[in-house]
Amino acid sequence: MQDYQLPAMARFAEAGFLQTMITRKRSKTSLASLPTVTEAPTIGFPVVAIGASAGGLDPIVAFLTHVPPESGIAYVVIQHLDPTQKALLPELLQRATSIPVTEITHQTALRPNHIYVIPSNADLGLSKGRFLLSEPLQLRGHRLPINAFLESLAAELGELAVGVILSGMGSDGTRGLQAIKQAGGLTLAQHPDTAKFDMMPQSAIAADAVDLVDFPDKMPEKIVSYLFRSSFLELPGREPSGRNALQEIVALLSEHTGNSFSDYKINTVLRRIERRMSLYQMTSMEEYIPYLRNNPAEIDLLFKELLIGVTNFFRDPKVWEYLKMVVLPQMLAAHPDGRAFKAWIPACSTGEEAYSLAMVFHEVVAGSNPPAKYSLQIFATDLSADAIDRARQGRFPPTISSDVSAERLERFFLQDKNDYLVRKEIRNMIIFAQQNIISDPPFTKLDILCCRNLLIYLNAKLQQRLIPLFHYALNRDGVLLLGSADTPGHFSDLFSPLTTSTRLYRRLDNLARQRLLTYFPTKVSSATPPTPSDTREVSMPGKIQSHVEQLLLQKYSPAAVLLNQDGDILYINGRTGAFLEPAAGKANWNIHAMAREGLRYELASLIKQALQSESVVRLKGLVVKDHLGQSLGVDLSAEALSQPESLRGMVFVTFSSVPLVAEARRGRSPNPKVLELEQQLIQARNEIQAVRDEMQTSREELKSANEELQSTNEELQSANEELTTSKEEMQSLNEELYTVNAELQSKVDDLSLVNSDMKNLLNSTDIATIFLDSDLRIRRFTAPATQIYKLIQTDLRRPLSDIVNDLAYPNLEADALEVIRSLVFCERQVQTKNGRWYNVRIMPYRTVENVIDGVVVTFINITESKVLEAQLRQIQSGAAAAGNSGENVS
């Protein structure tokens, strides 16, 4: 991380550079990839939201202590506070920073270079640059004020939002960080090892919602550096990165992950790439490409960044209510005798939408009268293997209670410690699988297809391919559910909208447009189709020899193909037309798609055996029909190549034509038709035997897996017992903490009482007193001191030398420093500009531990004494003068 220069940053903020650059960037950046942001934000500066709970005061103070005073950023602190107690947080935080700290009130305008603190008994939101306070639905329990504000901040500011999660118990803040990350903002979490309670940071990190994990005192520097160097603060005149660099990054992603992003919207890909670059303070894609090449883990992180996997239960409640009340009951009514329905949810992320559909269907079936046999098989797919793994677990944090009603939580979930676990009857309705909707074949014969907020990330060309594909995958009168920003586009005659307020469509049978399905995803070879070898003219006497060699290769060498391990054809030798034919549709150079009938299954088994063996594997006596329908005998051989190095790992397959020969049988003449049938029977028996062998192998593997699962189950039971013990210990610790908290509250009350007594004592003495720390900054003062120094309440922690005063005492600061050094008090009589006199006494300030921590300056008004002294001297002078005059007369 490169260091930023604070003075330069302050100059830019003072000059309005930050707001100007952000406005410039926002005017030229498409927000197509941010469906949750419905209008441009009214705030033109970044806002950092800091969420914390138990043990959060120390990291908050550490964070704010290192915040630059003129960063041009606003900071909002959302702390879990006791709603029955007056919050002291603003006063505590003001001691740690010179930036103004204020408690939020309703409709307070948000301003940069300020710190705002949430009140103790309110929920907080943000709209059009102003804070919105609302009464909490409940005082305690599942209050999630951090999530609520972070989601509001993401919707209001988009990429200018920054979320920080510090120490705390529970999982509040995780969903809020996900919303900020989806909107393009920056998310940070405290390093769990440094947090007193690491559950909140751990929850956010486990949900892949955090960009940076760091120590609280280092976060401000990285936030300012990120915002200052981020692409939406580009300097005018800076040239954008070239298209070649973008293509190279997309190629690296495709090579490393096997998934291409060439059909994604360029703006979406650029925004995510620039976001990763900003985290590393890189200013160009040419600088980022070598970093990607040298760090495969960064390619994985960029891949996850491009898969914007943000979802939640029952998103858009009106859609799910319409499904439950209208669509699903109509589907059941159309099949009164019962039916097994099928649904497909591509881009399912962590599975919330799939589980929502399963729960709604279960509720509808339970309420059907008379009860019939209905079932729903849901296929939920996603490109991210991590998201699919989390979806399969069916484990969700307590924060889902804000989206799932208490009735559904009770009915469809089990509470496992602090998490919710989906019940088995709902989990069994769903099959989760990794799939690329762009290149993998779709599920077909569907009754429901739910594809929400995916099309907005794809370019128009791919959208025009997928909508007819969805039409093909659905049954007649099937239902298509799209996201709030998706439409069928030019294919409105294929789908009919069910309502105007939801994105629910019913499939129409339009025979005139059946020809539209020109795109059907399938595995296509990534290898370049073989091209004829270049012929070379040999101008030497060896020309005859070359022709002879070519003739021998054409007439006597067997037909053969060179394959990679996936079966893609890399090279063809000889005439293979009798054994292979191009598959209909899009060009596909995979041997499994091109093999003629009679060879397809045998080739798959043969290639598998060859890859597992070091010798040549042969298969004889096969029968295949050529393009004329005639039967041919075929012998196959396959060999996995190890030499030369360039061909290592490839498979060489040869085809040999052989005559159909019948076995010698008494009393039977060789009939060609009988020979063919006998050959096919032998071939079928061989296939059955191969299938039996494979089934036996699979059975053994399943048996081994079952034993491993039993062992894992025993380990989990042991772990569960340990967790139960830990839970009891935590409950005991929690009770102790409550006791400590009560004692602390008592101490705070005593301290408040003593503080009140001290304040009344100081005011009752009517002596001007100023308490200064070791740096001569004002710590406290009494009311009479304002008659000498022009002090107001906000002058606390300011240097005494900055305050205007009426004393003719320029050496007061020097005398105070000398008292701190020598510990000897100093006392002087000083006159003011208006003629008053004070006895100024400077004494060391001693703490309870007998540590010198500043000085106490008292001002005692001695004006009357000085006046009397002057009068007395005048009287004495007059008496002396009179005595001298008498002596002269005598």
Side-chain angles (χ1 to χ4, degrees):
M1 179 71 69
Q2 301 179 10
D3 295 333
Y4 65 92
Q5 295 181 353
L6 184 58
M9 191 66 202
R11 289 198 302 272
F12 281 127
E14 290 172 1
F17 174 79
L18 193 64
Q19 185 169 353
T20 304
M21 292 298 102
I22 293 171
T23 305
R24 180 184 294 115
K25 180 64 180 182
R26 283 202 168 274
S27 65
K28 67 178 182 178
T29 301
S30 170
L31 297 180
S33 63
L34 302 179
T36 57
V37 182
T38 57
E39 61 179 13
T42 58
I43 304 175
F45 51 86
V47 176
V48 178
I50 307 167
S53 183
L57 180 59
D58 290 340
I60 292 175
V61 170
F63 181 100
L64 296 179
T65 303
H66 292 80
V67 168
E70 296 293 335
S71 63
I73 304 172
Y75 299 85
V76 183
V77 178
I78 310 100
Q79 169 88 356
H80 287 180
L81 300 171
D82 186 346
T84 63
Q85 299 290 332
K86 183 183 183 304
L88 301 176
L89 191 59
E91 291 82 354
L92 295 174
L93 298 183
Q94 187 64 80
R95 300 174 185 175
T97 178
S98 59
I99 303 175
V101 180
T102 56
E103 187 174 77
I104 298 170
T105 57
H106 189 59
Q107 291 292 338
T108 299
L110 193 63
R111 293 188 296 169
N113 300 322
H114 281 71
I115 299 172
Y116 300 92
V117 180
I118 186 174
S120 59
N121 58 346
D123 286 338
L124 182 63
L126 188 65
S127 177
K128 297 182 180 179
R130 293 184 177 274
F131 290 109
L132 302 179
L133 293 181
S134 59
E135 292 185 2
L137 298 178
Q138 52 185 359
L139 288 180
R140 301 184 187 275
H142 294 293
R143 276 193 65 203
L144 304 173
I146 302 175
N147 274 338
F149 182 73
L150 292 183
E151 290 173 346
S152 175
L153 183 66
E156 180 80 2
L157 269 76
E159 59 189 9
L160 296 182
V162 179
V164 178
I165 296 298
L166 303 177
S167 172
M169 300 179 69
S171 59
D172 193 11
T174 298
R175 277 184 49 190
L177 289 190
Q178 289 176 331
I180 289 178
K181 190 170 184 179
Q182 182 191 21
L186 178 65
T187 57
L188 303 92
Q190 181 179 0
H191 200 294
D193 293 343
T194 67
K196 291 183 179 178
F197 298 90
D198 62 357
M199 280 183 273
M200 276 174 51
Q202 285 281 25
S203 174
I205 295 170
D208 290 331
V210 178
D211 293 319
L212 292 174
V213 178
D214 213 326
F215 304 106
D217 56 342
K218 295 183 179 178
M219 289 180 180
E221 175 185 355
K222 294 189 177 180
I223 291 173
V224 174
S225 185
Y226 168 85
L227 293 172
F228 180 66
R229 298 181 184 274
S230 194
S231 63
F232 53 79
L233 297 180
E234 283 186 285
L235 292 174
R238 175 182 163 187
E239 292 295 329
S241 300
R243 183 175 295 270
N244 292 337
L246 176 60
Q247 292 175 348
E248 189 167 352
I249 292 177
V250 172
L252 284 172
L253 279 168
S254 178
E255 179 182 351
H256 184 75
T257 65
N259 298 290
S260 174
F261 290 89
S262 57
D263 291 318
Y264 277 54
K265 287 182 179 177
I266 293 180
N267 283 346
T268 301
V269 178
L270 277 175
R271 286 163 64 86
R272 299 294 161 174
I273 291 175
E274 289 175 350
R275 177 182 167 85
R276 294 301 307 174
M277 289 167 49
S278 297
L279 295 177
Y280 298 106
Q281 311 306 310
M282 296 180 182
T283 57
S284 68
M285 282 192 275
E286 288 80 2
E287 186 180 359
Y288 187 50
I289 290 172
Y291 185 79
L292 281 174
R293 288 202 189 98
N294 298 327
N295 297 274
E298 175 61 21
I299 301 181
D300 293 330
L301 292 174
L302 179 58
F303 175 67
K304 291 181 180 180
E305 186 79 23
L306 290 168
L307 302 180
I308 309 169
V310 177
T311 183
N312 54 277
F313 285 96
F314 301 102
R315 182 167 47 175
D316 300 332
K318 290 191 300 183
V319 175
W320 295 102
E321 189 66 21
Y322 190 82
L323 268 174
K324 179 180 178 180
M325 304 305 297
V326 180
V327 177
L328 292 178
Q330 289 178 353
M331 291 176 60
L332 300 187
H335 302 86
D337 298 329
R339 187 186 169 194
F341 296 97
K342 291 168 61 178
W344 179 29
I345 303 180
C348 69
S349 188
T350 49
E352 284 89 335
E353 205 147 79
Y355 288 117
S356 299
L357 178 59
M359 285 186 276
V360 170
F361 184 84
H362 193 281
E363 291 173 346
V364 173
V365 171
S368 62
N369 189 20
K373 249 188 150 178
Y374 296 104
S375 65
L376 177 64
Q377 182 68 71
I378 303 174
F379 302 99
T381 63
D382 196 89
L383 193 57
S384 171
D386 293 341
I388 290 297
D389 289 341
R390 292 179 56 196
R392 284 180 180 141
Q393 295 174 11
R395 182 181 293 273
F396 298 95
T399 53
I400 66 171
S401 59
S402 60
D403 298 319
V404 185
S405 65
E407 180 184 355
R408 283 173 171 158
L409 286 175
E410 179 69 23
R411 185 176 181 182
F412 300 117
F413 292 86
L414 295 171
Q415 196 149 11
D416 185 19
K417 305 179 183 61
N418 294 324
D419 294 336
Y420 288 105
L421 199 61
V422 178
R423 289 185 181 270
K424 189 175 182 180
E425 58 266 26
I426 298 298
R427 176 63 185 85
N428 290 343
M429 296 172 62
I430 309 171
I431 295 176
F432 290 101
Q434 189 177 3
Q435 185 207 39
N436 189 339
I437 191 175
I438 300 175
S439 60
D440 292 330
F443 294 90
T444 56
K445 298 182 180 180
L446 304 170
D447 300 287
I448 301 173
L449 200 160
C450 180
C451 182
R452 309 184 72 192
N453 296 329
L454 170 66
L455 300 180
I456 56 175
Y457 302 114
L458 309 178
N459 58 31
K461 181 180 178 181
L462 185 57
Q463 290 182 20
Q464 293 175 6
R465 291 177 176 177
L466 289 180
I467 295 297
L469 186 70
F470 293 163
H471 183 269
Y472 169 80
L474 284 166
N475 287 328
R476 182 177 181 180
D477 294 331
V479 176
L480 174 65
L481 174 56
L482 297 178
S484 58
D486 302 330
T487 62
H490 300 296
F491 303 101
S492 57
D493 55 343
L494 296 181
F495 295 95
S496 171
L498 296 180
T499 64
T500 56
S501 60
T502 63
R503 295 294 184 181
L504 281 163
Y505 301 87
R506 191 175 299 281
R507 180 189 187 274
L508 301 176
D509 284 334
N510 191 337
L511 299 178
R513 301 199 68 168
Q514 291 296 328
R515 66 179 186 276
L516 287 172
L517 190 60
T518 58
Y519 169 77
F520 192 89
T522 184
K523 179 174 175 57
V524 180
S525 169
S526 58
T528 305
T531 56
S533 302
D534 295 336
T535 57
R536 295 185 300 170
E537 294 294 334
V538 183
S539 58
M540 59 180 296
K543 187 174 182 179
I544 296 176
Q545 179 183 353
S546 175
H547 286 174
V548 171
E549 291 174 352
Q550 292 294 328
L551 184 62
L552 290 172
L553 287 173
Q554 292 176 7
K555 288 196 172 185
Y556 300 103
S557 65
V561 290
L562 180 67
L563 313 173
N564 62 16
Q565 294 185 4
D566 293 328
D568 299 326
I569 299 175
L570 305 179
Y571 183 79
I572 298 177
N573 180 71
R575 298 180 179 274
T576 59
F579 318 108
L580 306 175
E581 64 175 345
K586 195 170 182 178
N588 190 344
W589 286 88
N590 193 281
I591 195 170
H592 303 299
M594 296 181 65
R596 291 187 181 274
E597 184 180 354
L599 295 181
R600 191 162 301 165
Y601 301 106
E602 290 75 7
L603 271 173
S605 176
L606 186 70
I607 293 172
K608 182 178 179 181
Q609 294 177 25
L611 289 171
Q612 297 173 353
S613 174
E614 297 181 355
S615 59
V616 179
V617 180
R618 292 182 172 84
L619 189 59
K620 297 183 178 181
L622 302 180
V623 178
V624 63
K625 290 186 177 181
D626 61 11
H627 63 287
L628 299 177
Q630 297 179 355
S631 298
L632 300 174
V634 182
D635 290 346
L636 298 179
S637 66
E639 179 184 7
L641 303 177
S642 58
Q643 296 293 335
E645 185 66 29
S646 59
L647 300 182
R648 181 183 295 275
M650 298 182 184
V651 180
F652 193 69
V653 179
T654 59
F655 305 87
S656 300
S657 298
V658 295
L660 292 173
V661 180
E663 297 180 2
R665 296 177 180 238
R666 276 184 295 177
R668 181 175 296 184
S669 59
N671 188 322
K673 185 63 176 178
V674 173
L675 294 178
E676 179 183 347
L677 292 175
E678 289 178 348
Q679 198 77 12
Q680 291 179 356
L681 179 59
I682 295 172
Q683 183 174 334
R685 287 174 176 171
N686 292 335
E687 291 177 8
I688 293 173
Q689 185 61 39
V691 171
R692 286 177 176 173
D693 294 339
E694 291 179 0
M695 288 183 63
Q696 182 63 29
T697 303
S698 300
R699 188 178 292 111
E700 293 173 357
E701 292 176 353
L702 288 173
K703 185 178 180 180
S704 175
N706 187 38
E707 294 173 354
E708 293 176 1
L709 286 174
Q710 289 178 352
S711 175
T712 303
N713 188 36
E714 294 173 355
E715 294 175 0
L716 288 174
Q717 289 178 351
S718 175
N720 189 35
E721 294 173 356
E722 295 175 0
L723 288 173
T724 302
T725 304
S726 299
K727 181 181 179 181
E728 295 173 354
E729 294 175 356
M730 286 292 294
Q731 288 176 343
S732 175
L733 176 61
N734 194 29
E735 294 171 356
E736 294 174 5
L737 288 174
Y738 273 115
T739 303
V740 172
N741 187 44
E743 294 175 357
L744 178 60
Q745 187 62 46
S746 175
K747 294 292 184 183
V748 169
D749 293 340
D750 293 342
L751 181 61
S752 300
L753 182 60
V754 171
N755 192 33
S756 299
D757 294 341
M758 177 64 70
K759 184 175 181 181
N760 284 280
L761 174 63
L762 291 175
N763 290 334
S764 64
T765 59
D766 200 26
I767 298 176
T769 307
I770 300 177
F771 296 83
L772 305 176
D773 61 15
S774 299
D775 296 325
L776 301 187
R777 295 178 181 270
I778 299 170
R779 180 179 288 157
R780 185 192 294 268
F781 59 89
T782 59
T786 58
Q787 300 174 6
I788 304 171
Y789 281 81
K790 309 302 181 183
L791 290 168
I792 57 177
Q793 195 61 32
T794 57
D795 289 333
L796 297 179
R797 298 191 63 82
R798 289 186 60 185
L800 184 64
S801 58
D802 291 353
I803 310 301
V804 176
N805 62 82
D806 295 328
L807 296 175
Y809 188 9
N811 296 327
L812 188 147
E813 286 81 13
D815 290 344
L817 292 174
E818 180 61 22
V819 168
I820 294 175
R821 187 190 66 80
S822 64
L823 305 183
V824 177
F825 78 94
C826 174
E827 186 172 359
R828 298 183 187 279
Q829 295 181 356
V830 180
Q831 188 177 12
T832 63
K833 298 175 182 177
N834 56 10
R836 290 178 298 167
W837 283 84
Y838 286 90
N839 184 36
V840 181
R841 176 176 293 180
I842 306 175
M843 300 185 65
Y845 180 96
R846 295 180 183 272
T847 64
V848 177
E849 293 81 13
N850 198 28
V851 176
I852 303 302
D853 189 24
V855 295
V856 181
V857 184
T858 58
F859 303 86
I860 300 176
N861 194 336
I862 58 172
T863 304
E864 293 182 2
S865 299
K866 283 290 185 181
V867 170
L868 291 174
E869 182 181 357
Q871 292 176 354
L872 180 60
R873 288 179 178 173
Q874 186 176 4
I875 293 172
Q876 291 176 350
S877 298
N884 292 334
S885 175
E887 292 176 359
N888 293 333
V889 170
S890 62

